[in-house]
Every structure is written in C-alpha cells, then in structure tokens.
Amino acid sequence: MSWNNQPSPAPRRPRWARKRVAVPVAAILLFAGVGIGSAQGDDTKSSDGDKPTPKVTVTVTAKPARVKDTAEPAPTVTVTKTVTAKPKASPKPKASPKPKRSQEAPAGTAVFKVWGSAPSGVDITYGSDGENLDGSGLPLTRKLKVKDDALYYQVSAQLMGGGDIRCSVTIDGETKTGHARGGYNICSAQLNGDFTGGWD
C-alpha cells in the first residue's frame, strides 16, 4: 500500500512472457487468414464453374525422319537349284545307203561298220574266215585288204543290254547289212565269195 492512498500499478510482465502470448496469437491469425482465403477461392470456383473452360488444341506437324543420302544396297540372295537332267532319248539310227566304192570301199578292200545306240556296251568282232578281230566303240569303221583265198568277210556286234544297232560289210560295191535291238541280241552281216571272184 502506498502512502498516497493510490493503487500501485500492476507489475509489468517480462519480455519472454509477452512473446509467449504474441506467438500463438500470430499463428492463430495466420491460420484464420488462410482459411478465409481458401473459402473465397472455393466460392470463386463454384461461381465460375457454370462457365465451360475453353480448350485449345495445338496441331504440330512432325518432321520427317532424316533419310541417308546414300541408301545401303539390299543384301544379295543367291539361290542354287539342283536339277537332275533327264536322259535324252537316243535317236533311231538311220539306215545308211550303200557306201560309194571310190571313197569308202576301194577295190580289193573290205569295209566293216557298226553304228547306233548301245548304253550298256557292245561286243564287236569282224574279219574273214581266216582271221577274227575285236572292235570297240560306236560308231565303228574298220578296213581290211581282201585276200584271194578268203571264203567270206563278216561283222558281228552283240548288245550287252538294251540298245539299237546296225552293222554292214562292203566289198567291191556289194554291201550286206544287219540290225539288232534290245537285250543281248546280235547284229551280223556277211559277204561270201563266189566262183567268179565276186561277192554276194
């Protein structure tokens, strides 16, 4: 109690106590302001929600991909095809005309011939009654000098399987021919001497 009968002033709060009150009050005011602002923002959105929001479409043209100046060559594909060749049919031998005496069968000469097709081979013999000779390969042409004492001249060709062959013997313009076809058949031709010194 004062001597002047006046009430004594209230004791002053320390500074730290003031801060204890001021900080929570400021935080409350801040949150209250944020809440009011968000409420106004919601009102604005709701009032503007009646109007449709315009949409803008932007079209962008894509740039073409850059093409290389030099195109790479496409890979080369090689195809190999194996084909089995079909055997050609052998042409049928034509019968030859009688050989000319001056060129193929000169006087005093025996000419032996074998020709045609023999895929499996052919066994050929030719000569006179006094001699027998072997021949091979087609076509075959052989010549012998005619002997005065020979009785005949002949040629024989046997097929060693399939085939088609002809044979002939010619002396002094006279010719005998033979023919054989298939299997192991034999083609033979023979000229015989006569009493006059000719051949038939």
Side-chain angles (χ1 to χ4, degrees):
M1 203 168 171
S2 171
W3 295 101
N4 296 332
N5 291 327
Q6 291 181 352
S8 61
R12 294 183 72 183
R13 290 184 181 180
R15 286 186 177 178
W16 61 267
R18 290 185 212 161
K19 288 181 181 177
R20 264 175 89 179
V21 173
V23 170
V25 170
I28 291 170
L29 291 176
L30 177 65
F31 286 122
V34 170
I36 293 169
S38 64
Q40 288 179 353
D42 290 342
D43 293 343
T44 305
K45 286 182 183 177
S46 63
S47 63
D48 291 344
D50 298 336
K51 295 179 182 179
T53 305
K55 294 182 180 178
V56 178
T57 303
V58 179
T59 304
V60 178
T61 306
K63 293 182 181 179
R66 188 172 182 182
V67 181
K68 293 183 180 179
D69 294 338
T70 56
E72 295 180 5
T76 304
V77 178
T78 303
V79 178
T80 304
K81 185 178 181 181
T82 305
V83 178
T84 304
K86 294 181 180 178
K88 294 181 179 179
S90 57
K92 292 182 179 180
K94 296 179 181 178
S96 62
K98 289 185 179 181
K100 294 180 181 178
R101 181 176 177 182
S102 60
Q103 295 178 357
E104 296 186 12
T109 303
V111 178
F112 308 91
K113 289 187 174 184
V114 181
W115 68 95
S117 170
S120 300
V122 61
D123 184 22
I124 303 171
T125 59
Y126 66 95
S128 65
D129 59 318
E131 63 182 333
N132 197 14
L133 305 171
D134 288 331
S136 62
L138 292 180
L140 172 102
T141 301
R142 296 289 185 269
K143 294 179 182 178
L144 288 178
K145 187 166 182 163
V146 175
K147 296 180 180 177
D148 293 337
D149 60 347
L151 299 177
Y152 63 86
Y153 283 87
Q154 61 86 29
V155 61
S156 176
Q158 182 176 12
L159 290 165
M160 305 309 291
D164 190 345
I165 58 173
R166 294 183 182 273
C167 56
S168 70
V169 56
T170 302
I171 302 174
D172 294 337
E174 292 294 329
T175 301
K176 288 287 182 179
T177 61
H179 178 229
R181 180 186 300 160
Y184 288 83
N185 292 328
I186 299 172
C187 175
S188 63
Q190 180 175 315
L191 276 176
N192 299 312
D194 59 18
F195 294 108
T196 62
W199 300 92
D200 61 3

